[in-house]
Amino acid sequence: MSIEPAYENILVRQEGRVGIVQINRPKAMNALNAPTMSEIMTALELFDADSGVGAMTLTGDARAFAAGADIKQMATSSAVEMLSSPFIGYWDRLRAIRKPVIAAVNGWCLGGGAELAMACDMIVAGEGAKFGQPEINLGVIPGAGGTQRLTRAVGKAIAMEMVLNARQLSAAEAAAFGLVNRVVPDERCLAEAVRLAGEIAARAPVAVRLAKEAVNAAFETSLSEGVALERRLFSLLFSTRDQKEGMAAFIEKRPADWQGH
């Protein structure tokens, strides 16, 4: 019998086939320090390894998804200490999660918090959400992928203004610029993210994981390399039972019974 980890900075639960991780540092506006990021990644990685979970949702609270990294933790660090610190590596671990992760964002989503949301696969925003990369106000720049993921999401012009001049985006602007999938009333944000995750979790599990891999490759490879990867993954799925079941179900006009292999 496995023993669940004891968490101090997050809350974890499961609804159906959706794993839910909630950042729980309300007094610090959910600022992301090393213990919190370690717990977030431990929870997500456990869900990633659990065959009973098909997708995950990462959220904060009504005031803040996460208002940035914990500045007190790094204020006196040297360049060598920052280069050797494992802290930013937590964001890379999120990129390595194979199942879909959907961020449910209410309130402030700034700095490292915005980078955390962007490292997820999709973002559902409450209408009062605010997105920003205000690191320039601290004399630094985003360091956990913000300059790269933000630019790929909203384009060079808006990213420049956000990174160089600390512009914040409302939820509506974030949707218009392609940063978030949809905007819903604040009180429905988490429920909508869980609903979306649940729909994805009900689909063929291996196909979902490989589909995520293929879409991510579009941002990290050339077109020819991406198409070649897509073709390999597409062909590989013909070795799964779920491919046979899915096509048989389509032909027989009945729901598919996915087995995850």
Side-chain angles (χ1 to χ4, degrees):
M1 178 178 176
S2 63
I3 299 175
E4 291 295 322
Y7 299 115
E8 296 183 359
N9 300 294
I10 64 172
L11 301 173
V12 178
R13 68 182 190 276
Q14 186 174 337
E15 291 186 14
R17 285 181 50 78
V18 178
I20 302 170
V21 179
Q22 180 179 356
I23 307 166
N24 187 37
R25 298 188 71 209
K27 292 181 180 179
M29 296 288 283
N30 292 334
L32 301 170
N33 58 13
T36 302
M37 287 300 300
S38 176
E39 290 185 5
I40 290 170
M41 287 315 309
T42 295
L44 290 176
E45 286 166 351
L46 286 172
F47 280 139
D48 201 31
D50 185 346
S51 61
V53 172
M56 290 86 87
T57 298
L58 177 61
T59 192
D61 57 34
R63 290 199 306 155
F65 174 78
D70 195 330
I71 303 305
K72 293 179 181 178
Q73 180 180 287
M74 63 181 74
T76 60
S77 297
S78 69
V80 172
E81 287 170 335
M82 291 306 296
L83 283 169
S84 59
S85 170
F87 181 54
I88 290 177
Y90 288 116
W91 280 257
D92 297 331
R93 281 171 63 181
L94 178 52
R95 169 64 182 82
I97 294 289
R98 298 192 67 197
K99 296 173 185 175
V101 183
I102 300 173
V105 176
N106 278 122
W108 298 107
C109 186
L110 304 175
E115 290 171 309
L116 185 64
M118 289 189 291
C120 296
D121 301 299
M122 288 170 263
I123 301 175
V124 173
E127 56 194 2
K130 293 283 189 181
F131 298 84
Q133 299 289 166
E135 289 88 347
I136 199 74
N137 293 332
L138 303 174
V140 294
I141 67 172
T147 63
Q148 303 304 300
R149 291 192 176 96
L150 183 63
T151 304
R152 284 164 169 77
V154 304
K156 178 182 175 181
I158 301 301
M160 281 288 191
E161 193 173 356
M162 293 178 70
V163 174
L164 275 62
N165 203 38
R167 174 178 173 176
Q168 292 178 2
L169 297 184
S170 67
E173 289 173 322
F177 293 132
L179 182 61
V180 308
N181 291 71
R182 64 196 63 174
V183 178
V184 298
D186 290 337
E187 64 274 13
R188 284 184 45 215
C189 181
L190 178 57
E192 176 65 14
V194 171
R195 185 196 66 78
L196 178 58
E199 288 184 351
I200 294 168
R203 302 188 185 279
V206 179
V208 167
R209 291 196 299 272
L210 297 190
K212 170 177 170 171
E213 180 180 345
V215 172
N216 279 331
F219 291 92
E220 299 172 1
T221 65
S222 67
L223 177 60
S224 60
E225 291 171 325
V227 169
L229 173 65
E230 176 190 83
R231 194 158 302 157
R232 289 195 298 272
L233 297 178
F234 170 75
S235 300
L236 177 62
L237 286 166
F238 281 77
S239 68
T240 65
R241 180 227 179 251
D242 280 351
Q243 173 269 324
K244 303 298 185 291
E245 166 63 11
M247 292 191 176
F250 177 82
I251 293 167
E252 296 165 13
K253 295 182 171 57
R254 60 172 175 81
D257 178 20
W258 308 120
Q259 298 297 313
H261 54 77

